[in-house]
Amino acid sequence: MEKRNVRNWIYDAATLGAAVICAGVIFLAGAAGVVRAQEAPAAPHAPATASPTIRKAMEWKRFDYTCEVGTPLVVYLHNQTVKVSYKDKLYLMRQVPAADGGRYSDGKVVWWSKGNGGFLQADSADGDGAMMAKDCKLDKPMNASETPGRVSGTVTYMVRKALPPEAVVDVQLQDVSRADAKATVLAEERITVGERQVPIPFELKVDAGKIDLSHAYAVRAEILVDGQLRFTSEQAYNVLTKGNPAKVEIVVKPVGGQK
């Protein structure tokens, strides 16, 4: 009995010692974790990102046409670029030189607007491409009652010659009602070419109260270099009244035998 009690006492002591050792290990491990957590540097804050710059949406002006056999065609205009929607297809085109009206092309298809009309055809070197949409008429024609105080368009020429940066494009809106009197200038814009080349866009504004619907108005243009006249329009481009448009594409020609 005494030997058995001794063995039990030894066993109980060993068990208690092991428990104490385990508890000590657990305590030390926990303490070490707390120390490491205190010593670890705080995670750096993510750098603030700048708000993205929001670009203003491009503004397109819409023109609705009805072509032969009642087929609709829509033109969206922005500066010298147009989008033409026709029969579930969309054509993106840039303005190109034209002897008359506004001509736009993507190299395969051309849209040509003249006054309140226009047509769509395949682009070709001889200008005789297959017609895709003809006899297109504006559903809401441009007239003096809509834009009586504003005339816009472009100035271009047909010769292969670049303009120097100092060249100046001079565009005038004139009252040409009286054939026996000098035309009256109602508005004028002088544009320094800079890095641009033709076609050069322009916009003339005039007090609507100065527009008489019974009068005739025209736009003329010149291009000067170092004060010397180099190009001029040889015809008057009628605008605003008597059914004429508020937008024109002016073609100027060299003066003095220049090429």
Side-chain angles (χ1 to χ4, degrees):
M1 289 293 294
E2 291 181 357
K3 292 183 179 180
R4 181 178 181 182
N5 290 336
V6 171
R7 284 198 302 271
N8 289 341
W9 179 84
I10 295 173
Y11 175 79
D12 292 340
T15 301
L16 178 61
V20 170
I21 293 172
C22 288
V25 171
I26 293 172
F27 173 78
L28 292 176
V34 170
V35 171
R36 283 195 299 269
Q38 291 177 346
E39 292 178 350
H45 294 289
T49 56
S51 300
T53 302
I54 300 176
R55 299 180 62 183
K56 185 178 180 181
M58 186 178 293
E59 296 180 357
W60 296 86
K61 188 173 182 180
R62 175 171 174 159
F63 298 90
D64 291 274
Y65 291 81
T66 299
C67 305
E68 58 180 345
V69 299
T71 308
L73 180 147
V74 182
V75 174
Y76 301 91
L77 174 66
H78 176 77
N79 293 337
Q80 300 175 43
T81 303
V82 297
K83 293 187 293 185
V84 179
S85 176
Y86 181 69
K87 289 187 175 180
D88 298 326
K89 291 186 178 181
L90 188 66
Y91 305 94
L92 180 64
M93 309 179 189
R94 293 282 295 173
Q95 188 171 19
V96 295
D100 185 24
R103 186 169 180 263
Y104 303 83
S105 175
D106 63 0
K108 296 180 180 179
V109 177
V110 60
W111 164 252
W112 203 324
S113 62
K114 297 183 179 182
N116 291 316
F119 57 86
L120 188 70
Q121 71 175 146
D123 201 353
S124 63
D126 59 5
D128 195 27
M131 192 64 65
M132 300 168 63
K134 62 181 181 179
D135 299 330
C136 302
K137 301 294 182 183
L138 272 173
D139 294 347
K140 187 179 181 181
M142 295 181 291
N143 54 51
S145 64
E146 295 172 349
T147 54
R150 177 179 176 274
V151 177
S152 63
T154 58
V155 177
T156 190
Y157 51 74
M158 308 304 291
V159 299
R160 295 184 177 180
K161 183 176 183 180
L163 291 172
E166 66 273 14
V168 175
V169 179
D170 185 12
V171 188
Q172 295 183 348
L173 172 63
Q174 302 176 347
D175 185 335
V176 293
S177 302
R178 296 182 58 182
D180 59 344
K182 185 178 180 180
T184 302
V185 178
L186 298 182
E188 182 178 16
E189 183 179 15
R190 294 176 65 86
I191 307 162
T192 301
V193 172
E195 298 301 320
R196 294 173 294 183
Q197 292 297 325
V198 295
I200 303 295
F202 69 87
E203 180 176 285
L204 300 171
K205 295 181 180 180
V206 63
D207 183 355
K210 296 182 179 180
I211 301 296
D212 187 332
L213 297 182
S214 66
H215 284 204
Y217 299 92
V219 178
R220 296 181 183 274
E222 298 176 343
I223 299 179
L224 301 93
V225 178
D226 295 330
Q228 300 296 315
L229 182 63
R230 298 295 177 87
F231 295 85
T232 186
S233 53
E234 295 184 351
Q235 71 177 75
Y237 289 80
N238 297 322
V239 294
L240 295 179
T241 59
K242 304 181 185 300
N244 291 304
K247 182 176 182 180
V248 290
E249 283 71 37
I250 301 174
V251 177
V252 294
K253 297 184 178 181
V255 298
Q258 300 180 66
K259 295 183 179 180

